[in-house]
Amino acid sequence: MSRRAAGALACVPVGRRPARRLGRVGPSHSPHHVSAALRCPRGSRCYLERQHQRLAEGSGYSFAIADAETDEAVGNIGLWTSHISTGRASTGYWIAPQHRRLGYVRAALSALTAWASSLDDVKRLELFVEPWNEGSWRAAEACGYQREGLLRSWQQVGTERKDMYVYSLIPVRD
Ligand SMILES: CC(C)(COP(=O)(O)OP(=O)(O)OC[C@H]1O[C@@H](n2cnc3c(N)ncnc32)[C@H](O)[C@@H]1OP(=O)(O)O)[C@@H](O)C(=O)NCCC(=O)NCCS
């Protein structure tokens, strides 16, 4: 992990400075968002509006990951709560290519996990990761998530069904 990312990170609700600049680092850099971005003629503006809607519709909390020293937006992380009535929430994230392998996601996931674990409604945190995505599952393991197994043909990504590792973390409260 870089020295900067280890201690200089902020998670900012999308819509506030510097999160507005998130559109410039671009959802189009993420394989998970590229198809949606391409479908939308307004590109990143449309992406940002969708992040706002998540809170309004109760589907989750979307944050920009920003470098606290430079105020630069480097990526996105969210806590997704569509299944919160069952006590389960999940998380997902991306970092723009030019900011990868500097420890940003590890730091952001650690912060998001600590916050989410403090919420009474959250009994289980989940993560779904494609097996090839070592950067993602290494970050998850570094933040205390445990691999529970491989979900075969779990999700449609583009034109293909994808297997996913499922990871979880059970918040421990006093
Ligand atoms: C996966 C992703 C979020 C990782 O973000 P990152 O900020 O580069 O990750 P970090 O620098 O915090 O690295 C986390 C760990 O993974 C390792 N790592 C990062 N990228 C890696 C790669 N491409 N291959 C192997 N290991 C990698 C790091 O060395 C670190 O390991 P350590 O904790 O043992 O030191 C980023 O590559 C990305 O945005 N990818 C595209 C979108 C995506 O896949 N999102 C996740 C969907 S589940």
Side-chain angles (χ1 to χ4, degrees):
M1 182 185 296
S2 77
R3 275 170 280 129
R4 163 165 290 172
L9 177 122
C11 290
V12 186
V14 169
R16 291 194 26 215
R17 189 183 64 88
R20 286 190 208 102
R21 294 199 296 272
L22 201 55
R24 284 185 223 153
V25 297
S28 59
H29 291 308
S30 160
H32 292 269
H33 297 102
V34 71
S35 56
L38 290 175
R39 276 200 308 275
C40 175
R42 293 187 300 137
S44 57
R45 178 175 292 276
C46 192
Y47 171 80
L48 293 178
E49 284 171 9
R50 282 202 305 280
Q51 305 316 303
H52 285 273
Q53 283 165 13
R54 290 180 191 276
L55 188 59
E57 70 195 17
S59 63
Y61 302 83
S62 184
F63 298 97
I65 302 168
D67 186 292
E69 284 179 23
T70 64
D71 207 25
E72 185 176 10
V74 298
N76 175 253
I77 190 166
L79 180 72
W80 312 130
T81 55
S82 298
H83 301 290
I84 198 64
S85 63
T86 65
R88 298 199 303 269
S90 63
T91 178
Y93 37 77
W94 58 265
I95 299 291
Q98 66 271 32
H99 298 294
R100 287 181 191 164
R101 303 204 80 157
L102 294 171
Y104 281 116
V105 114
R106 186 173 163 158
L109 182 60
S110 175
L112 183 115
T113 300
W115 167 67
S117 296
S118 74
L119 304 176
D120 284 343
D121 289 346
V122 176
K123 312 296 184 198
R124 171 184 161 97
L125 282 163
E126 295 177 325
L127 258 170
F128 301 91
V129 185
E130 285 184 62
W132 61 265
N133 200 342
E134 187 175 347
S136 184
W137 57 253
R138 284 179 80 94
E141 291 179 1
C143 293
Y145 289 77
Q146 288 182 24
R147 187 187 297 174
E148 295 180 325
L150 180 71
L151 300 166
R152 295 183 301 158
S153 192
W154 177 250
Q155 193 175 329
Q156 186 83 20
V157 178
T159 57
E160 291 179 51
R161 298 296 302 178
K162 296 288 185 181
D163 297 347
M164 296 278 168
Y165 284 146
V166 56
Y167 278 84
S168 75
L169 182 144
I170 311 301
V172 178
R173 299 192 183 90
D174 295 332

